[in-house]
Amino acid sequence: MSSSSAASGTHPIAEASPLSLCAREPHVPADRLVAEMVPPPRFDSVRFSTYIPDPNQPSQTEAVGVLETFAGGLGGAHASGAGKAGKRGFLGFGRSKAPKTPAGPRGVYLDGGYGVGKTHLLASLWHATPAEPSLKAFGTFVELTNLVGALGFQQTVQTLSGHRLLCIDEFELDDPGDTVLVSSLLGKLVDAGVALAATSNTLPGKLGEGRFAAADFLREIQGLSARFRTLRIDGEDYRHRGLPEAPAPYSDEQVTKAAYATEGASLDDFPHLLDHLARVHPSRYGALTDGLKAVCLTDVQPIPDQSTALRLVVLADRLYDREVPVLASGMPFDKLFSEEMLKGGYRKKYFRAISRLTALARDAKGVVGA
């Protein structure tokens, strides 16, 4: 019997005890980080044809058309141009001897609120680009910086320079070091002929605003902005569009019973999980969730500080990517972050986490009846 079960006075109703995130300390080799730079399982089957634009938001339809053209322009020569007459551009931009193309941004940047389908479109672009998967990379901003940490700057440049496309989801700059690092990395990749595509809730010129002294790094931020053509995507969060509100939290007993009855479920006390996340590097949070069919959490409480909150955001992203339902007791997910946090520089991350955890909580309704 697990300690959580013993503490709650419940008894196991399945032969095996639930898994525990707190018992996992995954070690992820660098080559796995590179191999996993593909759209997450949730977006395996998405395509431009499966994106349903809101008829009241013409910017959504426009974005699909622009990105389809973007993808079509990435066919042909290898991004590095090795053994070819020149490098092929896209959207009318690039470096090619004939025909001439004007200079300009070598990337597209999808800006919009939560749940308007930016990641769906970014993954559709990855799938639509006519190149082998090994010549395309897809990852979150955090995963990209983690890759640099694992491989080193020069090795990351060398690894990605042969790619035709780099897709960066959830592009955000949280500190000056990341600003300089990413500016330098993307500059090297663009020079090598790599096309860029990114999503964010923040316009390129506003990255870092409210989180650090962005004015001191204006040159780097403006350099990043100049590399992208911005596509604004308007609309409401589809995760809440016509859907019921997030389910109320369950009791500890219900959560524990469901964890024991569900094969592949984990069961953890929420405060203990937050402590454990501090001991696992965020680059390993994906591996932390390997094989999970459901995450069951007892005693969900408000997040005590910003460092803990940012770690939870990364975990929420990895769970959402992998479509792992989350069943919880305690406080509802929209009460996780304080008013101060929701008004601060990281507010967009926190609102995204609330949106995604709410969606996963809805998905967990079937777990209760297991």
Side-chain angles (χ1 to χ4, degrees), residues 42-363:
R42 177 179 287 271
F43 299 98
D44 278 344
S45 61
V46 302
R47 298 294 186 272
F48 290 127
S49 61
T50 64
Y51 180 80
I52 304 176
D54 184 335
N56 297 317
Q57 303 293 345
S59 62
Q60 296 184 10
T61 301
E62 178 186 1
V64 172
V66 172
L67 291 174
E68 285 179 327
T69 302
F70 184 112
L74 294 178
H78 186 280
S80 67
K84 305 293 181 181
K87 296 182 180 179
R88 190 160 179 172
F90 54 91
L91 291 177
F93 301 116
R95 290 179 294 177
S96 177
K97 292 184 178 180
K100 286 187 176 182
T101 54
R106 296 184 57 80
V108 291
Y109 189 100
L110 308 181
D111 174 69
Y114 314 100
V116 296
K118 299 187 302 297
T119 302
H120 183 136
L121 291 173
L122 191 69
S124 298
L125 171 65
W126 189 93
H127 289 298
T129 296
E132 293 297 320
S134 61
L135 294 180
K136 302 181 286 187
F138 184 108
T140 65
F141 181 83
V142 171
E143 288 171 326
L144 181 61
T145 55
N146 287 338
L147 182 66
V148 177
L151 299 183
F153 183 83
Q154 294 300 333
Q155 183 61 39
T156 302
V157 172
Q158 182 177 345
T159 299
L160 297 179
S161 287
H163 284 58
R164 195 164 296 167
L165 172 69
L166 171 62
C167 295
I168 310 169
D169 200 18
E170 300 155 15
F171 199 121
E172 295 186 43
L173 299 180
D174 297 335
D175 60 59
D178 280 348
T179 302
V180 176
L181 173 70
V182 174
S183 178
S184 300
L185 175 63
L186 297 188
K188 294 284 188 182
L189 295 179
V190 167
D191 288 344
V194 181
L196 306 175
T199 72
S200 181
N201 302 308
T202 305
L203 288 169
K206 300 294 185 180
L207 288 167
E209 192 172 81
R211 278 160 284 186
F212 62 89
D216 294 339
F217 295 86
L218 187 59
R219 179 178 176 182
E220 285 80 6
I221 293 171
Q222 288 177 335
L224 285 172
S225 178
R227 301 187 187 283
F228 295 98
R229 168 187 173 179
T230 300
L231 294 177
R232 174 68 189 179
I233 304 176
D234 299 305
E236 62 178 313
D237 189 335
Y238 80 89
R239 288 181 286 268
H240 301 279
R241 195 184 303 160
L243 295 174
E245 292 296 318
Y250 295 93
S251 68
D252 286 354
E253 183 179 3
Q254 286 175 305
V255 172
T256 301
K257 181 179 178 181
Y260 274 97
T262 305
E263 183 178 359
S266 65
L267 176 63
D268 292 279
D269 174 73
F270 187 69
H272 291 166
L273 176 59
L274 296 182
D275 290 341
H276 184 62
L277 293 180
R279 297 188 289 271
V280 179
H281 192 275
S283 66
R284 301 174 182 174
Y285 287 6
L288 193 68
T289 67
D290 280 352
L292 290 184
K293 302 302 182 183
V295 166
C296 297
L297 301 172
T298 58
D299 194 23
V300 172
Q301 301 177 10
I303 305 299
D305 58 77
Q306 192 145 264
S307 295
T308 302
L310 292 173
R311 287 191 289 268
L312 182 64
V313 168
V314 177
L315 179 64
D317 287 341
R318 300 293 80 77
L319 291 172
Y320 182 78
D321 288 345
R322 290 159 175 77
E323 299 183 282
V324 181
V326 178
L327 187 72
S329 67
M331 299 288 291
F333 287 132
D334 60 358
K335 303 297 183 183
L336 281 173
F337 306 103
S338 69
E339 286 298 318
E340 182 180 0
M341 290 180 182
L342 294 178
K343 293 178 180 177
Y346 296 105
R347 61 189 177 278
K348 293 184 178 181
K349 286 190 173 187
Y350 300 147
F351 280 115
R352 183 179 77 232
I354 291 171
S355 177
R356 290 185 166 185
L357 289 171
T358 295
L360 296 177
R362 292 195 190 105
D363 294 343

